Amino acid sequence: MRSRLAIGSLALALGAAAGCSSDTEDPIPRTTQPTDLPSQPTPSQTEDGGGNGGGNAAPKAGGTIADLLEVPWGVGFLPDGDAVVTERISGRVLRVTADGTLTRLGALSGAVPEGEAGLLGVAVSPDFDSDRTLYFYLTTDSDNRVVSAELDGDALGEPTLVLDGIPRGFIHDGGRLAFGPDGYLYVTTGETGNPDLAQDPASLAGKILRITADGEPAPGNPDPGSPVWSLGHRNVQGLAWDDEGRLWASEFGDSSWDELNLIEKGGNYGWPRFEGRSGGEDFVDPQLVWPVEEASPSGLAWADGHLWMAGLRGQRLWRIDVSASGKASNPTAFFTEDYGRLRTVAAAPDGTIWVTTSNRDGRGEPTPTDDRIIVIQP
């Protein structure tokens, strides 16, 4: 188990801006506005398969798998094809089958659902068949943390601390968990509405972390004593690896540009010095950006040879081409305003995509059946 860790040799230039989330109800005024932003690589606005997807057929909605959920946030698939789903506000952990059967596995009573916080991401151990272990990201009354728990049949065991001391906030708590192809656990954290933490070498906030299953810094990290894999993030909400093993992340911008980033070991992604492209050698520029009203990107998945990115404020699902050399292009929007706010995208073992709505989070307009899990045929 690990407590809050110093980040050592990853110190880079600090910014001097305050920020607000494009998906935050009560924005925090920005104290400084960058004046040196270059033109941004904005995506095409092609909607609903209108020819911008490289000749690919449009995805089809396959119906609702589950409804009447309370802000489903994390989705992780078990080896048998069932999904483990977390609810941010209730703290419940559910098993959901492909035919829509719901089973309550338990609840994490320590989760504190304030603002954007609560019970967030879930990841299934790569060795689940033998260790039966699930990993969760949750906000407590003192911090954000990662815990693990064994699943015994349909009963979730007592949680065990994996990593604590991640700063918490009313907004920008990160929360996505995913095991990479290397077998290590990747954790996204937000800067809690305090932008300077993203560049702070002594803080775990505003980072992507890479740890072992026991919470130790993973071998090969930029600083061997630190869990930090990359820094300078505002609020990463989605992680996905493509077929070449490249890591992609979707990230909330402030008032102008949301981002899709290709994550590099030790990379600095610029916040709060820059929103969108920096054009500077010390920072990694996003591959694509969106005006905040079209995205507020959350979940990200790799399926059918594309990245799929959910939009909260944008209320749409983006399909993004990725070239063999790792260049993202041709974003195409689907299902715009059909289902409201879209939170999580997960690639199911059967080749479909599961998308969760987030209309009961206080910022949407829920229907009588929200929140839902929608199945998409890519």
Side-chain angles (χ1 to χ4, degrees):
M1 295 183 288
R2 300 288 296 187
S3 294
R4 179 172 176 171
L5 300 171
I7 303 176
S9 61
L10 288 176
L12 289 171
L14 295 178
C20 62
S21 170
S22 59
D23 191 50
T24 299
E25 289 179 275
D26 301 310
I28 301 171
R30 189 183 182 121
T31 59
T32 60
Q33 180 69 35
T35 58
D36 54 352
L37 287 179
S39 60
Q40 302 294 327
T42 54
S44 160
Q45 302 309 306
T46 301
E47 298 278 339
D48 299 332
N52 193 36
N56 297 293
K60 305 295 183 183
T64 298
I65 296 174
D67 58 13
L68 301 175
L69 302 176
E70 190 172 7
V71 193
W73 210 100
V75 178
F77 284 96
L78 300 171
D80 64 5
D82 292 351
V84 176
V85 178
T86 60
E87 289 184 323
R88 181 178 69 81
I89 294 177
S90 72
R92 294 194 305 171
V93 181
L94 309 172
R95 183 200 294 265
V96 182
T97 67
D99 64 5
T101 301
L102 270 66
T103 305
R104 184 182 185 277
L105 302 178
L108 295 184
S109 59
V112 178
E114 297 178 338
E116 297 172 1
L119 177 56
L120 302 177
V122 61
V124 178
S125 168
D127 301 316
F128 182 83
D129 283 336
S130 58
D131 63 28
R132 309 291 295 176
T133 302
L134 303 173
Y135 293 80
F136 302 94
Y137 186 107
L138 69 152
T139 311
T140 72
D141 57 5
S142 60
D143 65 1
N144 285 303
R145 59 181 57 185
V146 179
V147 301
S148 65
E150 291 188 15
L151 185 62
D152 183 4
D154 285 332
L156 193 65
E158 288 295 316
T160 298
L161 179 63
V162 175
L163 178 70
D164 65 355
I166 302 168
R168 59 154 289 167
F170 190 80
I171 59 172
H172 303 181
D173 286 285
R176 197 64 65 181
L177 296 180
F179 278 95
D182 56 9
Y184 296 114
L185 182 61
Y186 290 73
V187 183
T188 77
T189 72
E191 35 81 303
T192 73
N194 182 351
D196 288 346
L197 294 181
Q199 297 285 334
D200 185 349
S203 176
L204 297 183
K207 313 295 191 296
I208 295 177
L209 312 179
R210 178 175 175 264
I211 60 176
T212 69
D214 296 324
E216 300 291 332
N221 279 4
D223 179 343
S226 168
V228 172
W229 186 249
S230 62
L231 72 160
H233 297 289
R234 189 166 183 268
N235 195 22
V236 173
Q237 293 279 285
L239 293 175
W241 286 264
D242 63 25
D243 287 337
E244 300 301 319
R246 294 174 292 233
L247 175 58
W248 299 84
S250 52
E251 182 165 353
F252 284 151
D254 181 15
S255 56
S256 299
W257 304 110
D258 292 324
E259 300 179 2
L260 174 70
N261 285 298
L262 179 60
I263 301 302
E264 301 175 4
K265 175 181 177 179
N268 188 329
Y269 289 80
W271 180 254
R273 288 281 300 278
F274 301 98
E275 179 185 4
R277 291 184 61 202
S278 71
E281 295 181 358
D282 294 333
F283 302 98
V284 183
D285 282 341
Q287 291 255 336
L288 292 173
V289 298
W290 287 258
V292 295
E293 65 272 10
E294 295 176 3
S296 289
S298 188
L300 189 68
W302 177 260
D304 194 42
H306 298 84
L307 288 168
W308 301 82
M309 189 182 80
L312 287 163
R313 184 174 172 184
Q315 299 187 36
R316 64 199 75 183
L317 179 67
W318 290 95
R319 184 181 66 195
I320 302 161
D321 292 348
V322 177
S323 70
S325 62
K327 178 67 175 177
S329 64
N330 296 331
T332 308
F334 300 96
F335 312 114
T336 300
E337 298 184 352
D338 288 353
Y339 302 108
R341 294 162 56 81
L342 302 182
R343 168 69 64 182
T344 294
V345 187
D350 64 2
T352 62
I353 300 169
W354 289 23
V355 180
T356 74
T357 69
S358 196
N359 294 318
R360 295 180 63 188
D361 62 3
R363 300 169 187 172
E365 298 179 0
T367 70
T369 58
D370 276 320
D371 274 312
R372 293 172 282 170
I373 301 176
I374 312 297
V375 63
I376 304 295
Q377 299 284 348

